């Protein structure tokens, strides 16, 4: 069976394609980047950001450190991109610091768009795929944080697009294989072999079972060239580590491979609720996975078997590893987004031609009713949650949120009643974009349940702290990196029980207890201890005690 279907249905006006592309770009700006500074960095981002900051401060671009310790666990490409953004705007503008991840998310949608053009001859589907991807929950959230995942999977999706294009019978030459190899190498430099195993390999498995391996056999030399380019780029970083830090590189390899077995272990079936990560598209995504129902409908526009096997192979391969996190499902969302878009395309055509079935109508109607009811309830739940967290809800926010969500509910209900799937899809996409613009500035009010919340970023702006060394007692591992990033300084470990200061004062000291209780009497008698305050960047009180610290300045008494 071929990938594309030559039977064309009604198509968008070619003169408007540029307009549609601009609208998709504006949608991505809203869902990936708008108000991207609403939250402080979490532990994963803090590791990347701290390493980037130390790259700039120490110039150790090829010998990265995190809080003064070598940081070789992840390849450096995403951190290099973050460091370049930080060089332009400093540490405080999170919206710009997260821009490399945002651009990677936009590239991911672009590559999905172009791959869809290769998978179908229908001109509507690439736009449906792009719009659905730009509003899928996990893709949106991944593009809003400085994670390694969005980089490696974005590059790999581009590599798959170029590989798919190069394998076509009438492909013009080697350039697609060259570009594919380059993008695969960049994927490896972003997160090692992860995307090769959970995105590329499932694609190849699906391709083999859906259309056979003949096209791979007849492109042996181009594929060999692609593999060579991939290896040269991919092996550059691990080879550098091995030659310069042989002991460290072996330790890191052992540590990272062990993490897949020993950390965050979940049951084998943990990932099999993956459709919920589509957000508001979950019901349509689930319907598209039911092969007896969806196969004939989707095959009007493309190869259903190929997309289904790609999704299932990816989930199965990921399930083999004991370590599981919901954000690791990003590579599954990519073919699932395509499958969902194909199903939406079928609904549009079926309703236009009045040939939809009862099952079609039940799925279409129930999906929209659930979204509409949720949209109606959303503003009231938001106000209640904000008030419960101790925040005042302004009248202007109440009016805007009510108009936005009630308007989306009404419009969606209207297009559902008049059987307009395309207009219903557009109303959901538009509603998600508007919700991002409206809610994200208020989002901290929804999640901060800690009445003593006080982020460490305040310490960066105390001028007299700039030249002081920072020390802390207790555990400095794990989520403490959020303290390191927030405070804007490297923080070294010091045990006050030694009764000797680690360096000549003044210095900044972090402790779980009040300094009068944690410092020995000899230090309290000899030095002046000025408590700056208690800082706690945990959103929920008491959940992460490591994020709550007394901060004090220890200096000579005559200072």
């Amino acid at each position: 069976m071929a990938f594309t279907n030559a039977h064309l249905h009604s198509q968008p006006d070619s003169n408007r394609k540029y307009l549609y592309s601009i609208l998709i770009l504006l949608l991505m700006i809203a869902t990936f980047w708008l108000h991207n500074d609403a939250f402080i960095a979490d532990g994963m981002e803090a590791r990347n950001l701290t390493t980037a900051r130390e790259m700039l401060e120490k110039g150790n671009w090829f010998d990265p450190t995190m809080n003064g310790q070598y940081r070789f666990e992840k390849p450096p490409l995403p951190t290099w991109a973050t460091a370049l953004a930080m060089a332009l705007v400093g540490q405080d503008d999170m919206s710009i610091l997260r821009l490399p991840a945002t651009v990677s998310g936009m590239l991911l949608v672009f590559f999905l768009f172009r791959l869809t053009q290769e998978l179908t001859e229908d001109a509507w589907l690439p736009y449906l795929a792009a719009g659905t991807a730009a509003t899928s929950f996990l893709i949106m959230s991944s593009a809003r944080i400085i994670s390694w995942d969005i980089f490696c999977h974005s590059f790999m999706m581009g590599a798959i697009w170029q590989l798919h294009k190069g394998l076509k019978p009438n492909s013009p030459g080697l350039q697609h294989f060259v570009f594919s190899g380059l993008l695969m190498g960049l994927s490896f430099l972003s997160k090692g072999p992860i995307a090769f195993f959970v995105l590329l390999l499932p694609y190849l498995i699906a391709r083999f079972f859906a259309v056979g391996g003949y096209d791979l056999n007849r492109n042996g030399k181009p594929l060999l060239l692609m593999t060579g380019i991939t290896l040269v780029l991919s092996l550059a970083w691990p080879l550098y580590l091995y030659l310069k830090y042989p002991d460290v590189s072996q330790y890191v390899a052992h540590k990272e491979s062990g993490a897949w077995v020993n950390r965050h272990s979940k049951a084998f079936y943990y990932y099999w609720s993956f459709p919920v990560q589509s957000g508001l598209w979950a019901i349509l995504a689930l319907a598209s996975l039911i092969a007896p129902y969806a196969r004939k409908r989707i095959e009007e526009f493309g190869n259903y078997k190929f997309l289904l096997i790609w999704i299932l192979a990816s989930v199965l391969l990921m399930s083999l590893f004991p370590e599981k996190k919901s954000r690791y499902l990003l590579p599954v969302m990519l073919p699932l987004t395509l499958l969902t878009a194909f199903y939406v395309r079928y609904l549009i055509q079926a309703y236009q031609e009045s040939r939809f079935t009862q099952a079609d109508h039940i799925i279409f109607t129930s999906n929209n009713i659930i979204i509409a009811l949720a949209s109606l309830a959303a503003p009231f739940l938001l106000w209640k949650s904000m008030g419960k967290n101790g925040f005042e809800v302004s009248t202007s926010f109440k009016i805007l949120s009510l108009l936005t969500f009630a308007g989306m509910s009404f419009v969606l209900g209207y297009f559902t009643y008049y059987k307009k799937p395309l207009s219903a899809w557009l109303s959901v996409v538009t509603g998600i974009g508007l919700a991002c613009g409206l809610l994200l500035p208020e989002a901290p009010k929804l999640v901060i349940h800690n009445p003593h919340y006080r982020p460490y970023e305040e310490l960066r702006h105390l001028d007299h702290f700039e030249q002081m060394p920072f020390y802390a007692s207790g555990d400095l591992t794990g989520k403490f990196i959020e303290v390191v990033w927030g405070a804007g300084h490297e923080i070294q470990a010091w045990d006050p029980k030694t009764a000797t200061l680690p360096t000549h004062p003044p210095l900044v000291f972090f402790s779980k207890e009040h300094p009068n209780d944690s410092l020995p009497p000899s230090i309290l008698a000899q030095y002046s201890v000025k408590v700056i305050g208690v800082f706690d960047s945990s959103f929920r009180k008491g959940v992460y005690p490591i994020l709550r610290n007394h901060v004090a300045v220890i200096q000579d008494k005559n200072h």
Side-chain angles (χ1 to χ4, degrees):
M1 180 182 291
F3 286 103
T4 60
N5 192 316
H7 178 56
L8 292 176
H9 302 267
S10 60
Q11 302 297 305
D13 186 348
S14 59
N15 294 327
R16 296 185 180 180
K17 288 184 178 181
Y18 289 111
L19 173 62
Y20 299 153
S21 299
I22 292 173
L23 291 176
I24 293 293
L25 178 60
L26 292 175
L27 177 65
M28 288 191 290
I29 291 174
T31 57
F32 291 175
W33 191 61
L34 192 63
H35 305 304
N36 214 8
D37 55 354
F39 291 108
I40 63 172
D42 62 8
M44 177 182 61
E45 285 189 289
R47 289 191 289 273
N48 197 332
L49 288 162
T50 300
T51 305
R53 180 174 65 202
E54 294 183 17
M55 280 182 175
L56 293 175
E57 292 175 348
K58 303 177 181 181
N60 55 357
W61 294 82
F62 293 97
D63 306 276
T65 60
M66 184 179 74
N67 200 29
Q69 304 297 316
Y70 281 127
R71 172 67 174 170
F72 295 138
E73 282 82 351
K74 296 289 190 296
L77 184 57
T79 310
W80 286 342
T82 305
L84 291 174
M86 195 179 297
L88 295 175
V89 299
Q91 301 180 43
D92 294 324
D93 192 339
M94 285 302 299
S95 186
I96 299 299
L97 294 181
R98 287 170 172 146
L99 187 58
T102 300
V103 173
S104 293
M106 291 180 173
L107 281 174
L108 178 62
V109 173
F110 170 75
F111 292 144
L112 274 172
F113 179 95
R114 297 306 301 268
L115 178 62
T116 308
Q117 290 180 320
E118 301 300 322
L119 296 176
T120 181
E121 295 182 15
D122 184 90
W124 276 113
L125 260 164
Y127 298 99
L128 292 173
T132 304
T135 50
S136 291
F137 171 74
L138 188 55
I139 297 176
M140 288 169 55
S141 59
S142 298
R144 284 184 164 271
I145 57 175
I146 310 168
S147 71
W148 291 267
D149 302 81
I150 192 65
F151 288 88
C152 76
H153 295 311
S154 177
F155 289 130
M156 185 56 73
M157 181 51 63
I160 289 173
W161 161 49
Q162 285 293 298
L163 174 61
H164 194 97
K165 195 173 180 67
L167 290 173
K168 292 176 68 174
N170 298 320
S171 179
L174 294 176
Q175 66 266 31
H176 299 300
F177 295 94
V178 172
F179 287 131
S180 183
L182 290 172
L183 288 166
M184 286 183 190
L186 293 177
S187 177
F188 192 97
L189 289 175
S190 297
K191 202 181 179 182
I194 300 301
F196 289 80
F197 187 75
V198 297
L199 189 54
L200 177 62
L201 180 57
Y203 162 82
L204 294 174
I205 291 172
R207 187 182 184 98
F208 178 80
F209 282 103
V211 298
Y214 173 73
D215 51 358
L216 296 175
N217 293 332
R218 64 182 175 81
N219 284 283
K221 290 182 179 180
L223 289 171
L224 187 62
L225 173 64
M226 178 192 76
T227 303
I229 294 172
T230 301
L231 288 174
V232 169
L233 276 176
S234 300
L235 294 179
W237 177 249
L239 183 61
Y240 167 79
L241 291 183
Y242 178 76
L243 293 176
K244 189 169 184 180
Y245 305 99
D247 296 334
V248 173
S249 62
Q250 292 177 25
Y251 164 76
V252 169
H254 178 74
K255 178 182 176 182
E256 287 297 292
S257 60
W260 282 92
V261 178
N262 301 318
R263 284 190 322 202
H264 306 289
S265 297
K266 299 289 191 304
F268 176 83
Y269 53 81
Y270 176 80
Y271 283 139
W272 291 85
S273 61
F274 63 92
V276 301
Q277 296 296 330
S278 298
L280 293 184
W281 306 115
I283 294 177
L284 298 183
L286 184 60
S288 70
L289 291 167
I290 303 173
Y293 164 76
R295 180 175 60 83
K296 290 183 179 180
R297 290 164 169 82
I298 288 176
E299 283 183 349
E300 291 188 32
F301 302 94
N303 192 323
Y304 179 78
K305 183 179 180 181
F306 165 72
L307 292 173
L308 183 65
I309 294 176
W310 186 356
I311 294 166
L312 297 181
S314 183
V315 176
L316 179 61
L317 289 173
M318 293 178 65
S319 298
L320 296 177
F321 289 98
E323 184 189 24
K324 297 179 179 69
K325 296 180 183 179
S326 58
R327 66 179 174 86
Y328 290 169
L329 279 169
L330 179 60
V332 180
M333 292 300 103
L334 308 182
L336 182 62
T337 292
L338 295 177
L339 192 65
T340 305
F342 274 70
Y343 178 62
V344 171
R345 182 66 184 96
Y346 160 76
L347 290 177
I348 293 169
Q349 196 66 31
Y351 275 88
Q352 284 179 347
E353 299 175 355
S354 298
R355 58 181 176 87
F356 58 90
T357 66
Q358 184 178 7
D360 298 337
H361 193 57
I362 290 173
I363 293 170
F364 170 68
T365 304
S366 59
N367 174 74
N368 294 347
I369 288 175
I370 291 172
I371 295 175
L373 291 175
S375 184
L376 275 178
F380 302 101
L381 295 175
L382 293 174
W383 305 341
K384 182 178 179 180
S385 179
M386 290 177 181
K388 185 178 180 180
N389 294 348
F391 294 101
E392 293 185 4
V393 184
S394 66
T395 302
S396 60
F397 178 75
K398 286 184 176 180
I399 294 173
L400 283 173
S401 59
L402 184 60
L403 289 175
T404 299
F405 288 103
M408 176 180 171
S409 179
F410 172 80
V411 171
L412 187 57
Y414 176 87
F415 291 128
T416 302
Y417 180 80
Y418 285 102
K419 301 180 179 63
K420 303 286 187 182
L422 177 58
S423 299
W425 179 86
L426 286 170
S427 66
V428 174
V429 167
T430 304
I432 293 173
L434 291 174
C436 288
L438 174 67
L439 290 183
L440 286 174
E442 306 292 330
K445 296 180 182 179
L446 297 172
V447 299
I448 296 177
H449 299 260
N450 184 358
H452 305 295
Y453 176 77
R454 187 181 181 184
Y456 290 87
E457 279 76 3
E458 180 183 326
L459 298 176
R460 297 180 189 168
H461 305 288
L462 300 178
D463 293 338
H464 57 289
F465 274 25
E466 288 185 1
Q467 303 304 319
M468 295 185 191
F470 282 37
Y471 290 88
S473 62
D475 184 13
L476 272 62
T477 60
K479 285 187 73 66
F480 190 81
I481 193 62
E482 295 181 30
V483 178
V484 176
W485 162 246
H489 291 262
E490 181 180 319
I491 302 178
Q492 301 179 49
W494 171 51
D495 184 1
K497 294 180 181 178
T498 60
T500 304
L501 290 182
T503 187
H504 186 76
L507 60 91
V508 180
F509 176 56
F510 294 71
S511 61
K512 303 298 176 227
E513 301 174 334
H514 193 282
N516 290 341
D517 298 322
S518 58
L519 292 171
S522 58
I523 289 180
L524 292 173
Q526 186 176 358
Y527 300 100
S528 169
V529 179
K530 179 183 178 182
V531 178
I532 304 300
V534 179
F535 291 77
D536 187 352
S537 59
S538 179
F539 287 167
R540 292 180 178 270
K541 182 180 178 181
V543 173
Y544 296 111
I546 198 171
L547 299 181
R548 183 181 184 276
N549 290 277
H550 292 79
V551 180
V553 175
I554 303 175
Q555 56 190 359
D556 291 323
K557 283 194 171 183
N558 59 357
H559 189 276

